[in-house]
């Protein structure tokens, strides 16, 4: 019987026997067989060993979703090292802070981001992966190495997260927890019988838990080849679905909206689709209705299947295998348990709203070098450890979970985690910005950022402020609105009152309309 207590690579090899000639992954007109995947993992692991990488060392992967990234991910696992998943478009300042925090032995970059991120690295070995060709520039010739042998309980993956409080943290996941996610998910979906005949359109990035652990690791475990899209474009996605007979897809709602707006997303082009699993945000009734109509028109029974997850649980931990509708996100995966509690940590009756707690075998080891934050994220009830999600839910009598809203402040924009606290810290670096607060606002159900600032910046200063945030963080952190406020509203205990700021924004919007 297979167990999750092994390396990510060994679990992938063992979960289901793979024919060497089967397709392991597809990107554009290129594909890689399992024979080549296994051979390349050994070669890259040997090259990393020649660089001095071994058990417990950190290797950063700042790559888009490409062949080299997948090979490197499993090569790191083969050595028992830690794969740190980095946004390839991360601003240089944030990247350098991550390097200083994690002390990697090696960093994988693409030829696209090398000039921006690679030249500042000191004492860190670099491997450059061409985006348009397969290769590893700077990887030395492979040397013999001792493959990892252990129970998978050690750190295996670092991922950036908003934590359960909305502040940027590095989540530490073991191989056992990630493998458990795969096993739990596949047990939940057992009746679907997914396997080597399926194809998964994987457009969510590798630094995203949903993209890495579901769109890649889980799919490769069952030999259902992922169709890689390093950059999501609706028209290219349609062509990839039609050309490869894609049956499965993972997405955020914004991607589904873009597909529905694409004229070619209909008829024969989409008839192969069986399920689209959606996370990162709620699926509203209007989107679901439009998707259903398009699929019925095409003659397929494909539906949107919503789910819920956190980086702290690898990604998905709650799923509706079938269409759920509205704010229903399904039930916990096999081997995961949910509890909804009030502010005092007492379980609330079915139908009442409270914070969602989770227990099971997918939980993170903790936050990197932050014991206090790790301890604060867990609650112990009747001798069992529960993860406090910071999200508000209610449950029905049969255990179905309804998402009621985010307690934490993490903002998802195009599937990317945006941390308001980082925006605020970056904004106040400018001398003309006083106290400030960033909140999520929505227009046509699409998320944007509104930044409230004390002080009264001029139009030129507002432009400078936006440029500064983009340069230091990313384009996804850029505020759509910068709003002057005399003073930030405070709660009774002196904290910024974000609810009142949301009301203030709505009031400003009504006055301007």
């Amino acid at each position: 019987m297979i167990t999750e207590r092994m390396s990510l690579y060994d679990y992938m090899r063992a979960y289901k026997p793979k024919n060497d000639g089967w397709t392991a992954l597809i990107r554009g007109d290129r594909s890689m067989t399992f024979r080549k995947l296994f051979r390349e993992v050994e070669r890259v692991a040997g090259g990393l060993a020649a660089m001095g990488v071994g058990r417990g060392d950190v290797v950063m992967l700042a790559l888009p979703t490409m062949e080299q990234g997948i090979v490197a991910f499993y090569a790191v696992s083969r050595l028992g090292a830690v794969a740190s998943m980095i946004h390839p478009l991360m601003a240089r300042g944030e990247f350098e802070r991550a390097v200083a925090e994690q002390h990697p032995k090696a960093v994988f970059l693409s030829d696209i981001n090398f000039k921006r991120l690679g030249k500042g690295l000191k004492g860190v070995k670099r491997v450059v992966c061409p985006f348009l060709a397969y290769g590893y520039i700077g990887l030395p010739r492979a040397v013999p190495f001792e493959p990892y042998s252990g129970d998978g309980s050690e750190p295996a993956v670092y991922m950036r997260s908003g934590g359960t409080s909305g502040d940027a943290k590095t989540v530490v996941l073991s191989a056992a927890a990630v493998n458990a996610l795969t096993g739990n998910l596949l047990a939940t979906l057992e009746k679907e019988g997914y396997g080597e005949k399926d194809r998964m359109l994987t457009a969510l990035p590798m630094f995203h838990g949903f993209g890495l652990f579901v769109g890649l690791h889980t799919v490769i475990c069952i030999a259902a080849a992922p169709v890689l899209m390093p950059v999501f474009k609706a028209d290219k996605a349609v062509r990839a679905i039609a050309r490869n007979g894609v049956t499965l897809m993972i997405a955020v709602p914004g991607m589904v909206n873009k597909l529905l707006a694409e004229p070619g997303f209909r008829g024969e082009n989409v008839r192969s689709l069986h399920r689209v699993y959606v996370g990162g945000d709620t699926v509203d009734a209007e989107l679901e209705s439009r998707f259903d109509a398009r699929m019925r028109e095409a003659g397929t029974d494909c539906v949107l299947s919503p789910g819920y997850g956190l980086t702290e649980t690898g990604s998905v931990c709650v799923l509706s295998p079938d269409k759920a509708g509205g704010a229903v996100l399904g039930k916990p995966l096999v081997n995961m348990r949910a509890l909804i509690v009030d502010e005092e940590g007492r379980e609330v009756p079915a139908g009442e709203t409270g914070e969602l707690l989770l227990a099971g075998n997918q939980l993170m080891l903790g936050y990197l070098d932050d014991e206090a934050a790790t301890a604060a994220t867990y609650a112990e009830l009747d001798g069992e450890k529960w993860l406090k999600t910071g999200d508000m839910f209610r449950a029905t009598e049969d255990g179905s979970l309804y998402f009621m809203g985010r307690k934490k402040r993490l903002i998802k924009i195009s599937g990317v985690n945006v941390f308001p606290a980082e925006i605020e810290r970056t904004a106040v670096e400018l001398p003309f910005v006083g106290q400030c607060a960033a909140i999520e606002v929505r227009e046509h159900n699409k998320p944007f950022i509104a930044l409230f600032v004390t002080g009264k910046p001029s139009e030129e200063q507002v432009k400078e402020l936006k440029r500064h945030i983009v340069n230091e963080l990313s384009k996804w952190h850029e505020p759509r609105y910068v709003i002057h406020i005399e003073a930030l509203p405070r709660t009774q205990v002196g904290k910024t009152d974000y609810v009142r700021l949301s009301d203030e924004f709505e009031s400003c919007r009504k006055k301007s309309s």
Side-chain angles (χ1 to χ4, degrees), residues 185-250:
L185 179 59
L186 292 173
T188 301
L189 298 173
E190 185 176 15
K191 69 175 186 178
E192 301 291 350
Y194 296 137
E196 65 274 11
K197 293 182 181 178
D198 287 291
R199 296 290 182 265
M200 165 76 84
L201 184 69
T202 302
L204 291 177
M206 290 185 66
F207 63 83
H208 193 294
F210 199 19
L212 179 62
F213 301 136
V214 178
L216 294 174
H217 184 54
T218 296
V219 172
I220 295 172
C221 280
I222 58 172
V227 177
L228 310 180
M229 283 201 72
V231 179
F232 177 78
K233 298 287 186 183
D235 57 342
K236 292 183 179 179
V238 170
R239 290 196 291 273
I241 292 168
R243 181 171 60 244
N244 297 288
V246 167
T247 54
L248 305 170
M249 182 177 173
I250 56 172

Side-chain angles (χ1 to χ4, degrees), residues 251-268:
V252 295
M255 291 165 59
V256 179
N257 266 311
K258 289 179 180 178
L259 285 171
L260 289 170
E262 180 61 35
F265 189 70
R266 61 179 69 249
E268 285 288 342

Side-chain angles (χ1 to χ4, degrees), residues 149-162:
S149 176
D151 64 2
S153 62
E154 301 145 81
V157 184
Y158 290 166
M159 300 203 89
R160 294 279 283 171
S161 166

Side-chain angles (χ1 to χ4, degrees), residues 24-97:
L25 53 91
I26 299 165
R27 181 182 163 203
D29 296 328
R30 300 199 302 265
S31 64
M32 182 180 287
T33 63
F34 277 105
R35 180 186 294 107
K36 183 172 182 179
L37 174 63
F38 299 152
R39 186 176 68 237
E40 286 299 289
V41 168
E42 295 298 310
R43 181 170 77 89
V44 173
L48 287 172
M51 288 178 158
V53 175
R55 190 166 179 165
D57 290 327
V58 176
V59 178
M60 281 185 163
L61 306 182
L63 297 171
T65 306
M66 57 197 290
E67 303 95 311
Q68 296 98 311
I70 298 167
V71 169
F73 175 73
Y74 284 122
V76 171
S77 169
R78 190 86 171 108
L79 295 168
V82 181
S84 175
M85 310 309 295
I86 299 293
H87 195 318
L89 299 181
M90 182 181 280
R92 182 168 171 173
E94 187 180 4
F95 178 71
E96 290 176 349
R97 287 192 291 273

Side-chain angles (χ1 to χ4, degrees), residues 444-481:
H444 307 297
N445 205 35
K446 187 174 182 181
F448 296 99
I449 297 163
L451 181 65
F452 286 84
V453 298
T454 57
K456 204 166 184 178
S458 65
E459 287 186 12
E460 280 304 313
Q461 288 174 326
V462 167
K463 291 178 182 177
E464 182 182 348
L465 172 59
K466 290 184 177 183
R467 281 196 302 270
H468 179 65
I469 291 170
V470 170
N471 289 339
E472 290 298 311
L473 299 173
S474 77
K475 65 180 181 181
W476 292 282
H477 292 74
E478 180 181 1
R480 185 179 181 111
Y481 303 99

